[in-house]
Amino acid sequence: MEILQILAVSAAVLLGLWFLIWFCIQVPAGMAKVRGRNAVGWVLFGLITNPIVAMLLLWLLGEKRLERA
């Protein structure tokens, strides 16, 4: 392989890793924060199960309701 091809493949791999990290961590965390839920817990749930499942559940659950004493 030529050096330009190696650089292009390396750049594509790094871009793919960045997108994967963004998709698996940042998106569920942002969705959880907006809905008033624990971002760390939802990121862990998404990493254990599937980030798409976590995002779908966050979307279906909606915003957290305030509990009355």
Side-chain angles (χ1 to χ4, degrees):
M1 281 180 129
E2 292 183 23
I3 189 73
L4 291 177
Q5 288 176 331
I6 293 172
L7 289 174
V9 169
S10 299
V13 168
L14 288 175
L15 184 62
L17 285 173
W18 177 84
F19 177 76
L20 185 65
I21 290 170
W22 174 79
F23 184 76
C24 292
I25 296 175
Q26 293 296 326
V27 173
M31 287 180 71
K33 283 182 184 178
V34 166
R35 288 163 175 78
R37 300 184 181 274
N38 185 350
V40 174
W42 279 98
V43 168
L44 290 175
F45 176 74
L47 291 175
I48 292 169
T49 60
N50 185 340
I52 295 173
V53 171
M55 288 184 271
L56 182 62
L57 284 173
L58 279 166
W59 179 67
L60 289 173
L61 290 172
E63 289 191 19
K64 187 176 182 181
R65 295 182 184 160
L66 294 175
E67 296 178 11
R68 295 183 184 185

